[in-house]
Amino acid sequence: MWRPLRFCTRAMLCYSSSACLLSGVTLLLGTMSEHIQLSIALCRIGFYTCLQKLCCMTPPPPRPEYDVVCIGLSGAGKTSLLSRLCNEISDGTVPTSGFSIKAVPFENAILNVKELGDLYKTESMNVNLTPGLCAIQNLRAETIKKYWSRYYQGSQGVVFVLNSAASDEEMEASRSELHLAMQHPQLCTLPFLILANHQDSPTARSVSEIQKYFELQPLARGKRWILAGSTINNMEAVKESLSQLISLLEEKEVLPSRI
């Protein structure tokens, strides 16, 4: 009589233990499943976030653009410098007739340089021309010069290029034109970059000599200006000078002149 009872008791205990074990396994599997699902969800969120940043990334803010006028006597090297700045072939460069506009990119800004060419008298510079052709060019220069103010409109800065190896006559003409530009109503308040070009020439005047000859200290008192040497064989120095001009364009207050 007792044996069947013992058997039933053992069967019930085994069944209870099996049920508890099965419940524990089920709970464990459920917990693991929840962790796996949570991990997958987090991975999805991270993936979609990265994808959104890559695909929907906002473009960088546009670089500011400044309109700059480039002037100087014929033969000073304006066209060659601008061509090299724009990575154009400068061999056999033809002097600019009228004007041309080139966009010169920098890391923090873009300079839209309007070069004015064929605007100055050329008696001493065109030694190979006949007197008749030279007279025609000079007449054309004087005619175009009447419209300078139209080219100046909208300018935010000035680049004046001079030939530091020029003759005394040409140097005096360049000095006169720079003085007129600095006193022009549309340019007198703008920052000036004065490039003493052809510094690699044996006959070139030094930057300090040009500063003294052009009387820049009394002339440009209270103005924003930079005087720097330049040569087509050292464009990094030219870019550095233009970067300084950009800094002047960005400044709101008038700072002392610098060399």
PDB file of all heavy atoms in Angstrom, residues 215-242:
ATOM      1  N   GLU A 215      56.374 108.539 -50.480  1.00  0.00           N
ATOM      2  CA  GLU A 215      55.875 109.342 -49.362  1.00  0.00           C
ATOM      3  C   GLU A 215      54.604 108.735 -48.775  1.00  0.00           C
ATOM      4  O   GLU A 215      53.596 109.421 -48.576  1.00  0.00           O
ATOM      5  CB  GLU A 215      55.608 110.782 -49.819  1.00  0.00           C
ATOM      6  CG  GLU A 215      56.849 111.494 -50.348  1.00  0.00           C
ATOM      7  CD  GLU A 215      56.550 112.888 -50.857  1.00  0.00           C
ATOM      8  OE1 GLU A 215      55.429 113.095 -51.369  1.00  0.00           O
ATOM      9  OE2 GLU A 215      57.403 113.765 -50.716  1.00  0.00           O
ATOM     10  N   LEU A 216      54.676 107.445 -48.498  1.00  0.00           N
ATOM     11  CA  LEU A 216      53.472 106.742 -48.047  1.00  0.00           C
ATOM     12  C   LEU A 216      53.073 107.123 -46.620  1.00  0.00           C
ATOM     13  O   LEU A 216      51.883 107.163 -46.300  1.00  0.00           O
ATOM     14  CB  LEU A 216      53.692 105.236 -48.149  1.00  0.00           C
ATOM     15  CG  LEU A 216      53.681 104.671 -49.569  1.00  0.00           C
ATOM     16  CD1 LEU A 216      53.997 103.187 -49.568  1.00  0.00           C
ATOM     17  CD2 LEU A 216      52.334 104.918 -50.230  1.00  0.00           C
ATOM     18  N   GLN A 217      54.039 107.383 -45.761  1.00  0.00           N
ATOM     19  CA  GLN A 217      53.678 107.693 -44.377  1.00  0.00           C
ATOM     20  C   GLN A 217      52.808 108.937 -44.262  1.00  0.00           C
ATOM     21  O   GLN A 217      51.731 108.879 -43.658  1.00  0.00           O
ATOM     22  CB  GLN A 217      54.955 107.834 -43.528  1.00  0.00           C
ATOM     23  CG  GLN A 217      55.668 106.522 -43.219  1.00  0.00           C
ATOM     24  CD  GLN A 217      54.847 105.620 -42.306  1.00  0.00           C
ATOM     25  OE1 GLN A 217      53.789 106.003 -41.793  1.00  0.00           O
ATOM     26  NE2 GLN A 217      55.327 104.399 -42.101  1.00  0.00           N
ATOM     27  N   PRO A 218      53.193 110.068 -44.860  1.00  0.00           N
ATOM     28  CA  PRO A 218      52.295 111.239 -44.772  1.00  0.00           C
ATOM     29  C   PRO A 218      51.056 111.098 -45.637  1.00  0.00           C
ATOM     30  O   PRO A 218      49.971 111.577 -45.259  1.00  0.00           O
ATOM     31  CB  PRO A 218      53.184 112.397 -45.256  1.00  0.00           C
ATOM     32  CG  PRO A 218      54.229 111.752 -46.096  1.00  0.00           C
ATOM     33  CD  PRO A 218      54.471 110.409 -45.490  1.00  0.00           C
ATOM     34  N   LEU A 219      51.192 110.436 -46.796  1.00  0.00           N
ATOM     35  CA  LEU A 219      50.055 110.321 -47.714  1.00  0.00           C
ATOM     36  C   LEU A 219      48.963 109.428 -47.144  1.00  0.00           C
ATOM     37  O   LEU A 219      47.767 109.741 -47.234  1.00  0.00           O
ATOM     38  CB  LEU A 219      50.517 109.771 -49.066  1.00  0.00           C
ATOM     39  CG  LEU A 219      49.409 109.446 -50.077  1.00  0.00           C
ATOM     40  CD1 LEU A 219      48.713 110.722 -50.534  1.00  0.00           C
ATOM     41  CD2 LEU A 219      49.975 108.688 -51.268  1.00  0.00           C
ATOM     42  N   ALA A 220      49.360 108.298 -46.569  1.00  0.00           N
ATOM     43  CA  ALA A 220      48.384 107.293 -46.153  1.00  0.00           C
ATOM     44  C   ALA A 220      48.118 107.331 -44.653  1.00  0.00           C
ATOM     45  O   ALA A 220      47.640 106.343 -44.090  1.00  0.00           O
ATOM     46  CB  ALA A 220      48.882 105.907 -46.557  1.00  0.00           C
ATOM     47  N   ARG A 221      48.406 108.435 -44.011  1.00  0.00           N
ATOM     48  CA  ARG A 221      48.163 108.531 -42.574  1.00  0.00           C
ATOM     49  C   ARG A 221      46.663 108.381 -42.295  1.00  0.00           C
ATOM     50  O   ARG A 221      45.836 109.053 -42.884  1.00  0.00           O
ATOM     51  CB  ARG A 221      48.674 109.862 -42.032  1.00  0.00           C
ATOM     52  CG  ARG A 221      48.538 109.982 -40.516  1.00  0.00           C
ATOM     53  CD  ARG A 221      49.117 111.288 -39.993  1.00  0.00           C
ATOM     54  NE  ARG A 221      50.573 111.318 -40.152  1.00  0.00           N
ATOM     55  CZ  ARG A 221      51.220 112.115 -40.990  1.00  0.00           C
ATOM     56  NH1 ARG A 221      50.531 112.953 -41.765  1.00  0.00           N
ATOM     57  NH2 ARG A 221      52.532 112.087 -41.074  1.00  0.00           N
ATOM     58  N   GLY A 222      46.332 107.473 -41.395  1.00  0.00           N
ATOM     59  CA  GLY A 222      44.929 107.223 -41.067  1.00  0.00           C
ATOM     60  C   GLY A 222      44.239 106.250 -41.995  1.00  0.00           C
ATOM     61  O   GLY A 222      43.060 105.948 -41.807  1.00  0.00           O
ATOM     62  N   LYS A 223      44.943 105.760 -43.004  1.00  0.00           N
ATOM     63  CA  LYS A 223      44.356 104.798 -43.941  1.00  0.00           C
ATOM     64  C   LYS A 223      44.852 103.391 -43.617  1.00  0.00           C
ATOM     65  O   LYS A 223      45.791 103.202 -42.840  1.00  0.00           O
ATOM     66  CB  LYS A 223      44.728 105.160 -45.383  1.00  0.00           C
ATOM     67  CG  LYS A 223      44.260 106.541 -45.824  1.00  0.00           C
ATOM     68  CD  LYS A 223      44.676 106.816 -47.262  1.00  0.00           C
ATOM     69  CE  LYS A 223      44.304 108.218 -47.697  1.00  0.00           C
ATOM     70  NZ  LYS A 223      42.837 108.403 -47.756  1.00  0.00           N
ATOM     71  N   ARG A 224      44.199 102.428 -44.218  1.00  0.00           N
ATOM     72  CA  ARG A 224      44.611 101.024 -44.069  1.00  0.00           C
ATOM     73  C   ARG A 224      45.374 100.617 -45.320  1.00  0.00           C
ATOM     74  O   ARG A 224      44.811 100.612 -46.415  1.00  0.00           O
ATOM     75  CB  ARG A 224      43.380 100.132 -43.866  1.00  0.00           C
ATOM     76  CG  ARG A 224      42.618 100.409 -42.578  1.00  0.00           C
ATOM     77  CD  ARG A 224      41.310  99.645 -42.550  1.00  0.00           C
ATOM     78  NE  ARG A 224      40.390 100.121 -43.581  1.00  0.00           N
ATOM     79  CZ  ARG A 224      39.281  99.476 -43.927  1.00  0.00           C
ATOM     80  NH1 ARG A 224      38.968  98.328 -43.354  1.00  0.00           N
ATOM     81  NH2 ARG A 224      38.487  99.969 -44.858  1.00  0.00           N
ATOM     82  N   TRP A 225      46.647 100.286 -45.159  1.00  0.00           N
ATOM     83  CA  TRP A 225      47.450  99.957 -46.329  1.00  0.00           C
ATOM     84  C   TRP A 225      48.561  98.999 -45.951  1.00  0.00           C
ATOM     85  O   TRP A 225      48.998  98.912 -44.810  1.00  0.00           O
ATOM     86  CB  TRP A 225      48.022 101.213 -46.985  1.00  0.00           C
ATOM     87  CG  TRP A 225      48.877 102.058 -46.081  1.00  0.00           C
ATOM     88  CD1 TRP A 225      48.446 103.004 -45.197  1.00  0.00           C
ATOM     89  CD2 TRP A 225      50.304 102.022 -45.976  1.00  0.00           C
ATOM     90  NE1 TRP A 225      49.504 103.580 -44.539  1.00  0.00           N
ATOM     91  CE2 TRP A 225      50.660 102.991 -44.999  1.00  0.00           C
ATOM     92  CE3 TRP A 225      51.305 101.292 -46.599  1.00  0.00           C
ATOM     93  CZ2 TRP A 225      51.975 103.233 -44.650  1.00  0.00           C
ATOM     94  CZ3 TRP A 225      52.627 101.527 -46.242  1.00  0.00           C
ATOM     95  CH2 TRP A 225      52.948 102.488 -45.286  1.00  0.00           C
ATOM     96  N   ILE A 226      49.016  98.272 -46.970  1.00  0.00           N
ATOM     97  CA  ILE A 226      50.118  97.327 -46.836  1.00  0.00           C
ATOM     98  C   ILE A 226      51.052  97.549 -48.010  1.00  0.00           C
ATOM     99  O   ILE A 226      50.599  97.666 -49.153  1.00  0.00           O
ATOM    100  CB  ILE A 226      49.634  95.860 -46.853  1.00  0.00           C
ATOM    101  CG1 ILE A 226      48.605  95.609 -45.754  1.00  0.00           C
ATOM    102  CG2 ILE A 226      50.795  94.888 -46.721  1.00  0.00           C
ATOM    103  CD1 ILE A 226      47.858  94.308 -45.919  1.00  0.00           C
ATOM    104  N   LEU A 227      52.340  97.619 -47.744  1.00  0.00           N
ATOM    105  CA  LEU A 227      53.353  97.695 -48.798  1.00  0.00           C
ATOM    106  C   LEU A 227      54.204  96.436 -48.704  1.00  0.00           C
ATOM    107  O   LEU A 227      54.769  96.143 -47.651  1.00  0.00           O
ATOM    108  CB  LEU A 227      54.218  98.944 -48.635  1.00  0.00           C
ATOM    109  CG  LEU A 227      55.436  99.047 -49.572  1.00  0.00           C
ATOM    110  CD1 LEU A 227      54.993  99.086 -51.034  1.00  0.00           C
ATOM    111  CD2 LEU A 227      56.277 100.276 -49.221  1.00  0.00           C
ATOM    112  N   ALA A 228      54.293  95.696 -49.807  1.00  0.00           N
ATOM    113  CA  ALA A 228      55.039  94.439 -49.800  1.00  0.00           C
ATOM    114  C   ALA A 228      55.731  94.240 -51.135  1.00  0.00           C
ATOM    115  O   ALA A 228      55.234  94.670 -52.180  1.00  0.00           O
ATOM    116  CB  ALA A 228      54.108  93.259 -49.516  1.00  0.00           C
ATOM    117  N   GLY A 229      56.878  93.592 -51.096  1.00  0.00           N
ATOM    118  CA  GLY A 229      57.568  93.229 -52.315  1.00  0.00           C
ATOM    119  C   GLY A 229      56.945  91.995 -52.938  1.00  0.00           C
ATOM    120  O   GLY A 229      56.309  91.194 -52.257  1.00  0.00           O
ATOM    121  N   SER A 230      57.122  91.844 -54.246  1.00  0.00           N
ATOM    122  CA  SER A 230      56.543  90.678 -54.927  1.00  0.00           C
ATOM    123  C   SER A 230      57.380  90.322 -56.137  1.00  0.00           C
ATOM    124  O   SER A 230      58.120  91.146 -56.681  1.00  0.00           O
ATOM    125  CB  SER A 230      55.097  90.952 -55.350  1.00  0.00           C
ATOM    126  OG  SER A 230      55.040  91.995 -56.317  1.00  0.00           O
ATOM    127  N   THR A 231      57.249  89.083 -56.555  1.00  0.00           N
ATOM    128  CA  THR A 231      57.865  88.579 -57.769  1.00  0.00           C
ATOM    129  C   THR A 231      57.073  87.386 -58.245  1.00  0.00           C
ATOM    130  O   THR A 231      56.483  86.658 -57.424  1.00  0.00           O
ATOM    131  CB  THR A 231      59.341  88.183 -57.542  1.00  0.00           C
ATOM    132  OG1 THR A 231      59.826  87.484 -58.689  1.00  0.00           O
ATOM    133  CG2 THR A 231      59.474  87.283 -56.336  1.00  0.00           C
ATOM    134  N   ILE A 232      57.044  87.181 -59.544  1.00  0.00           N
ATOM    135  CA  ILE A 232      56.262  86.080 -60.099  1.00  0.00           C
ATOM    136  C   ILE A 232      56.863  84.729 -59.720  1.00  0.00           C
ATOM    137  O   ILE A 232      56.195  83.696 -59.798  1.00  0.00           O
ATOM    138  CB  ILE A 232      56.168  86.228 -61.637  1.00  0.00           C
ATOM    139  CG1 ILE A 232      55.035  85.352 -62.187  1.00  0.00           C
ATOM    140  CG2 ILE A 232      57.491  85.885 -62.293  1.00  0.00           C
ATOM    141  CD1 ILE A 232      54.778  85.573 -63.653  1.00  0.00           C
ATOM    142  N   ASN A 233      58.118  84.734 -59.286  1.00  0.00           N
ATOM    143  CA  ASN A 233      58.781  83.487 -58.908  1.00  0.00           C
ATOM    144  C   ASN A 233      58.549  83.105 -57.454  1.00  0.00           C
ATOM    145  O   ASN A 233      59.045  82.077 -56.990  1.00  0.00           O
ATOM    146  CB  ASN A 233      60.287  83.599 -59.170  1.00  0.00           C
ATOM    147  CG  ASN A 233      60.605  83.778 -60.641  1.00  0.00           C
ATOM    148  OD1 ASN A 233      59.984  83.149 -61.494  1.00  0.00           O
ATOM    149  ND2 ASN A 233      61.555  84.656 -60.953  1.00  0.00           N
ATOM    150  N   ASN A 234      57.819  83.916 -56.727  1.00  0.00           N
ATOM    151  CA  ASN A 234      57.513  83.613 -55.322  1.00  0.00           C
ATOM    152  C   ASN A 234      56.045  83.956 -55.059  1.00  0.00           C
ATOM    153  O   ASN A 234      55.730  84.967 -54.432  1.00  0.00           O
ATOM    154  CB  ASN A 234      58.435  84.391 -54.385  1.00  0.00           C
ATOM    155  CG  ASN A 234      58.259  83.982 -52.922  1.00  0.00           C
ATOM    156  OD1 ASN A 234      57.502  83.059 -52.616  1.00  0.00           O
ATOM    157  ND2 ASN A 234      58.943  84.664 -52.026  1.00  0.00           N
ATOM    158  N   MET A 235      55.163  83.086 -55.545  1.00  0.00           N
ATOM    159  CA  MET A 235      53.737  83.358 -55.420  1.00  0.00           C
ATOM    160  C   MET A 235      53.234  83.161 -54.000  1.00  0.00           C
ATOM    161  O   MET A 235      52.185  83.693 -53.626  1.00  0.00           O
ATOM    162  CB  MET A 235      52.951  82.465 -56.378  1.00  0.00           C
ATOM    163  CG  MET A 235      53.235  82.742 -57.856  1.00  0.00           C
ATOM    164  SD  MET A 235      53.035  84.496 -58.293  1.00  0.00           S
ATOM    165  CE  MET A 235      51.326  84.767 -57.899  1.00  0.00           C
ATOM    166  N   GLU A 236      53.962  82.400 -53.189  1.00  0.00           N
ATOM    167  CA  GLU A 236      53.544  82.229 -51.793  1.00  0.00           C
ATOM    168  C   GLU A 236      53.581  83.565 -51.062  1.00  0.00           C
ATOM    169  O   GLU A 236      52.703  83.858 -50.240  1.00  0.00           O
ATOM    170  CB  GLU A 236      54.441  81.210 -51.094  1.00  0.00           C
ATOM    171  CG  GLU A 236      54.252  79.781 -51.585  1.00  0.00           C
ATOM    172  CD  GLU A 236      52.835  79.286 -51.407  1.00  0.00           C
ATOM    173  OE1 GLU A 236      52.224  79.619 -50.363  1.00  0.00           O
ATOM    174  OE2 GLU A 236      52.316  78.597 -52.303  1.00  0.00           O
ATOM    175  N   ALA A 237      54.589  84.374 -51.352  1.00  0.00           N
ATOM    176  CA  ALA A 237      54.667  85.700 -50.726  1.00  0.00           C
ATOM    177  C   ALA A 237      53.523  86.591 -51.195  1.00  0.00           C
ATOM    178  O   ALA A 237      52.958  87.373 -50.417  1.00  0.00           O
ATOM    179  CB  ALA A 237      56.013  86.337 -51.041  1.00  0.00           C
ATOM    180  N   VAL A 238      53.163  86.475 -52.478  1.00  0.00           N
ATOM    181  CA  VAL A 238      52.038  87.260 -53.010  1.00  0.00           C
ATOM    182  C   VAL A 238      50.736  86.836 -52.333  1.00  0.00           C
ATOM    183  O   VAL A 238      49.907  87.681 -51.957  1.00  0.00           O
ATOM    184  CB  VAL A 238      51.946  87.093 -54.537  1.00  0.00           C
ATOM    185  CG1 VAL A 238      50.735  87.857 -55.089  1.00  0.00           C
ATOM    186  CG2 VAL A 238      53.224  87.572 -55.211  1.00  0.00           C
ATOM    187  N   LYS A 239      50.551  85.529 -52.174  1.00  0.00           N
ATOM    188  CA  LYS A 239      49.345  85.039 -51.503  1.00  0.00           C
ATOM    189  C   LYS A 239      49.288  85.511 -50.057  1.00  0.00           C
ATOM    190  O   LYS A 239      48.210  85.845 -49.543  1.00  0.00           O
ATOM    191  CB  LYS A 239      49.307  83.512 -51.568  1.00  0.00           C
ATOM    192  CG  LYS A 239      49.096  82.951 -52.968  1.00  0.00           C
ATOM    193  CD  LYS A 239      49.103  81.426 -52.955  1.00  0.00           C
ATOM    194  CE  LYS A 239      48.908  80.866 -54.362  1.00  0.00           C
ATOM    195  NZ  LYS A 239      48.943  79.376 -54.375  1.00  0.00           N
ATOM    196  N   GLU A 240      50.440  85.543 -49.396  1.00  0.00           N
ATOM    197  CA  GLU A 240      50.474  86.018 -48.016  1.00  0.00           C
ATOM    198  C   GLU A 240      50.079  87.489 -47.951  1.00  0.00           C
ATOM    199  O   GLU A 240      49.341  87.913 -47.048  1.00  0.00           O
ATOM    200  CB  GLU A 240      51.875  85.818 -47.446  1.00  0.00           C
ATOM    201  CG  GLU A 240      52.069  86.365 -46.046  1.00  0.00           C
ATOM    202  CD  GLU A 240      51.146  85.714 -45.014  1.00  0.00           C
ATOM    203  OE1 GLU A 240      50.753  84.548 -45.210  1.00  0.00           O
ATOM    204  OE2 GLU A 240      50.810  86.397 -44.026  1.00  0.00           O
ATOM    205  N   SER A 241      50.551  88.287 -48.912  1.00  0.00           N
ATOM    206  CA  SER A 241      50.184  89.703 -48.943  1.00  0.00           C
ATOM    207  C   SER A 241      48.685  89.876 -49.182  1.00  0.00           C
ATOM    208  O   SER A 241      48.030  90.715 -48.543  1.00  0.00           O
ATOM    209  CB  SER A 241      50.972  90.424 -50.035  1.00  0.00           C
ATOM    210  OG  SER A 241      52.364  90.346 -49.793  1.00  0.00           O
ATOM    211  N   LEU A 242      48.122  89.066 -50.077  1.00  0.00           N
ATOM    212  CA  LEU A 242      46.675  89.135 -50.324  1.00  0.00           C
ATOM    213  C   LEU A 242      45.878  88.660 -49.119  1.00  0.00           C
ATOM    214  O   LEU A 242      44.781  89.160 -48.853  1.00  0.00           O
ATOM    215  CB  LEU A 242      46.329  88.309 -51.558  1.00  0.00           C
ATOM    216  CG  LEU A 242      46.787  88.896 -52.899  1.00  0.00           C
ATOM    217  CD1 LEU A 242      46.587  87.893 -54.028  1.00  0.00           C
ATOM    218  CD2 LEU A 242      46.034  90.189 -53.215  1.00  0.00           C
TER     219      LEU A 242
END
